[in-house]
Amino acid sequence: MTQHIPEAVFWCLAAVTLAEVSLLVRQFRITAALRRRLTIHQAGLLAREEEVRHLSEVRLPALVEAPHGSAPVPEPLDADLAGTTYGRNLQQIVEQFTGAAEATRSRADRSAKATLKSAMRALQALANEQQVSISDMQDRHDDPDVLRDLLEIDHANAQFGRRAQAIAMLCGSWPGRQRTASPLLDVVRGATSRIRDYRRVKVHSRVDMDVVSRAVEPVVLAVAELLDNAARHSRPNTTVEVGIQPAHNGVSIVVDDAGIGMDARETEEAGRRLSGLVDIDINKLGNPPQFGFAVIGALAARYGFSVSVNTQSPYGGVRAVLFLPNALLNRVRFMGPPIPALGAETSPAPEPASPGASEAEAAPPSTAGGLPKRRRCTQQRQAADGGPEAPVSAPALVRPAAETASRMGAFARGTRSGRGSSPDSEGTPQE
C-alpha cells in the first residue's frame, strides 16, 4: 500500500502543476489582450486630444481669418474619427462656430460701413461747398498768381472729393452726381483731372462714343482709381499710357504703366476684388487700407462693366483693362487719325487761307466790347446741316497752371471790361 503513495503524490503534483501552467497561460493571454486594448484606447485618447488641439489651434482660427468662407478650412487630422459620435460632435462645434463668426463679421462690417458712409457723406458735402467757394473766387479774381493758387487748391479738392466719394461708394452709397451722356474721351479726361500726377497721363484714342448718363460718374471714378494706382506704383519720370480701343461688343480702356508689377498672389487677390462677386470686408484691406480695387469691383458689379489686371504691360508694369459693353454706350464711330497724347507740345496747324481772303475774313470776329466771339467750326456746321461727319478734333493740351491762370485772368478782365462799357460806346442805335 505504501509503495503506491509516492506514485499518487507524483500524479497529484503533476496535475496541480498542469493546472497552474494552464492558469498562467490563460492569465498571460488575458494580460496581453488587456495590454492591446489599453494601447488601442490610449492611442484613441491621444488622437482625440490631438484632434481637439488641432480644432482649437488651427481649424477655428482659420474660420476667423477666412473672409466670408473664401479660404478652405483645414480638415480633421484623423479621418477615422469623422464617422464616430465624437467626430460628429466636433463637426457640430465647427458649424456652430462658423455661424457665430459669420454673424459677428457681418455685424462688424455693417457697422464699419455705416460709420464710414456717414463720415464720407459729410466730407463730400464739405468738398462740394469748398468747390463752390473756389469757383466764386475764380470768378472774382483776375490776378494770374491768385488764379494759379486757386487752380492748385481746386485740383487738391477734386482729389479729396474723389477719395471720399470712392469710400462712400464702397460702403453702399451712390455716386451723388447725375451727369448727361458724355463722350468717353471726356470721361477719361475727367478721371485724369482727379489724380495727383495728371501730367504723366497720355491718352490715345481712335474711337468716339458717348457713355450713357447713369454710367458716366461711375466710369470716371473707376478710371481715376486705375490711373491713380498706376501713377503711385511707377516712377515719377515715367508716363501712364491710356488707350481707348474698339471691341466687338463694346469698348476697352487700356491703362499701361511702367511700375513694379504684381506677383501671382497679388494678381489673384486683385482679380478677386475686381470681380465684384464677393463681399469685401473693409477690415481686411490692409493697414493703411487699400480701397482702390475694392471700389472698382463694387462699381463694376453695380453698373455692368468689367476690369482686369492679369496682363503685363509692354513697359514691364501692369496692364489694366476696363471693358464697357454696348449697353453702356449710346453710339460708337471710328475716328480718322489717332489723337496725339495729352501733354504734347505740338498744336494743330492752322488751315491755309484762300488767296482772295481779306484781313477782315481772316481775323476772328469779336463783339463791340472787344471780346472774341465764339463761332462754330466748319465740321460742326456740316454735322448740324446733315453733311458728312468729320473726325473729332484732338484733345486740348495740358497747359501749366500758370498759363491757365493767366488766360483765365485775361478773360475775367475782358468780361468785366465788356460789362462795364456803356450802351453808347457799343454803338447801340439811338432813337
Side-chain angles (χ1 to χ4, degrees):
M1 179 74 181
T2 59
Q3 62 181 1
H4 296 288
I5 293 176
E7 184 177 357
V9 172
F10 172 77
W11 287 110
C12 289
L13 292 176
V16 171
T17 303
L18 182 61
E20 291 180 352
V21 169
S22 300
L23 290 175
L24 289 176
V25 171
R26 181 183 178 186
Q27 185 66 33
F28 178 78
R29 290 178 178 177
I30 293 175
T31 304
L34 290 175
R35 286 178 178 177
R36 287 193 300 269
R37 291 181 61 184
L38 181 62
T39 302
I40 293 174
H41 286 297
Q42 185 177 8
L45 180 61
L46 293 176
R48 294 187 180 191
E49 291 179 352
E50 187 67 19
E51 194 66 46
V52 171
R53 185 196 63 79
H54 179 67
L55 176 66
S56 62
E57 296 182 1
V58 179
R59 299 182 68 189
L60 296 184
L63 289 174
V64 175
E65 295 296 330
H68 302 281
S70 59
V73 180
E75 296 293 331
L77 293 177
D78 191 352
D80 296 335
L81 290 176
T84 63
T85 303
Y86 185 81
R88 288 191 293 269
N89 292 334
L90 290 182
Q91 184 61 31
Q92 186 177 2
I93 294 174
V94 171
E95 293 174 356
Q96 292 178 352
F97 186 86
T98 302
E102 184 65 26
T104 304
R105 187 185 298 114
S106 298
R107 286 195 302 268
D109 188 60
R110 287 195 302 268
S111 177
K113 285 184 176 180
T115 303
L116 273 178
K117 182 165 64 174
S118 177
M120 291 304 108
R121 281 179 174 176
L123 293 179
Q124 280 184 273
L126 293 176
N128 292 334
E129 292 178 4
Q130 185 169 327
Q131 181 65 47
V132 173
S133 300
I134 294 173
S135 299
D136 292 341
M137 286 188 288
Q138 288 174 346
D139 293 337
R140 291 196 308 269
H141 297 281
D142 56 9
D143 186 355
D145 294 334
V146 175
L147 289 174
R148 182 177 63 251
D149 294 340
L150 288 176
L151 287 175
E152 293 178 356
I153 296 174
D154 187 18
H155 183 226
N157 187 68
Q159 299 176 65
F160 170 74
R162 173 183 65 85
R163 178 56 63 189
Q165 184 183 14
I167 298 176
M169 290 285 295
L170 180 61
C171 296
S173 182
W174 295 95
R177 294 182 181 180
Q178 184 66 30
R179 299 181 181 272
T180 59
S182 303
L184 183 53
L185 192 58
D186 291 344
V187 170
V188 176
R189 289 175 185 166
T192 304
S193 67
R194 298 190 188 184
I195 68 172
R196 181 177 182 180
D197 299 325
Y198 64 94
R199 293 185 181 90
R200 294 170 51 195
V201 179
K202 295 185 177 180
V203 182
H204 310 271
S205 175
R206 296 186 60 189
V207 178
D208 181 31
M209 76 292 294
D210 287 345
V211 182
V212 297
S213 174
R214 66 182 181 86
V216 171
E217 187 65 21
V219 174
V220 169
L221 191 58
V223 175
E225 291 293 335
L226 290 177
L227 294 177
D228 183 69
N229 184 74
R232 287 178 180 271
H233 293 85
S234 58
R235 290 188 175 183
N237 59 344
T238 60
T239 60
V240 177
E241 302 287 339
V242 181
I244 303 177
Q245 303 291 341
H248 180 69
N249 296 319
V251 176
S252 297
I253 303 174
V254 183
V255 180
D256 290 319
D257 65 62
I260 58 177
M262 297 189 298
D263 56 25
R265 183 187 61 82
E266 293 173 338
T267 302
E268 181 181 359
E269 177 63 20
R272 188 181 72 86
R273 295 184 182 182
L274 291 171
S275 66
L277 302 178
V278 294
D279 293 332
I280 300 297
D281 188 354
I282 60 176
N283 298 308
K284 305 292 184 180
L285 295 180
N287 186 20
Q290 303 294 328
F291 291 104
F293 286 158
V295 171
I296 298 172
L299 291 170
R302 187 179 300 182
Y303 291 94
F305 56 88
S306 61
V307 182
S308 62
V309 291
N310 54 3
T311 307
Q312 186 179 20
S313 75
Y315 313 105
V318 175
R319 165 168 286 186
V321 180
L322 188 149
F323 177 74
L324 291 173
N326 289 329
L328 299 180
L329 303 172
N330 280 341
R331 59 186 173 87
V332 177
R333 67 172 182 266
F334 294 95
M335 297 173 61
I339 291 179
L342 288 176
E345 298 298 332
T346 60
S347 59
E351 297 181 0
S354 59
S358 61
E359 294 183 0
E361 294 173 346
S366 60
T367 63
L371 296 177
K373 182 185 296 183
R374 180 182 300 174
R375 63 178 181 180
R376 300 173 63 187
C377 64
T378 305
Q379 296 174 356
Q380 292 175 339
R381 288 198 300 268
Q382 289 179 353
D385 297 337
E389 189 174 21
V392 177
S393 59
L397 303 179
V398 177
R399 299 185 178 89
E403 181 180 352
T404 304
S406 178
R407 290 170 179 255
M408 290 178 62
F411 182 78
R413 288 191 298 271
T415 302
R416 282 200 295 268
S417 176
R419 291 175 179 175
S421 60
S422 61
D424 293 336
S425 62
E426 295 180 1
T428 303
Q430 301 293 327
E431 295 182 355

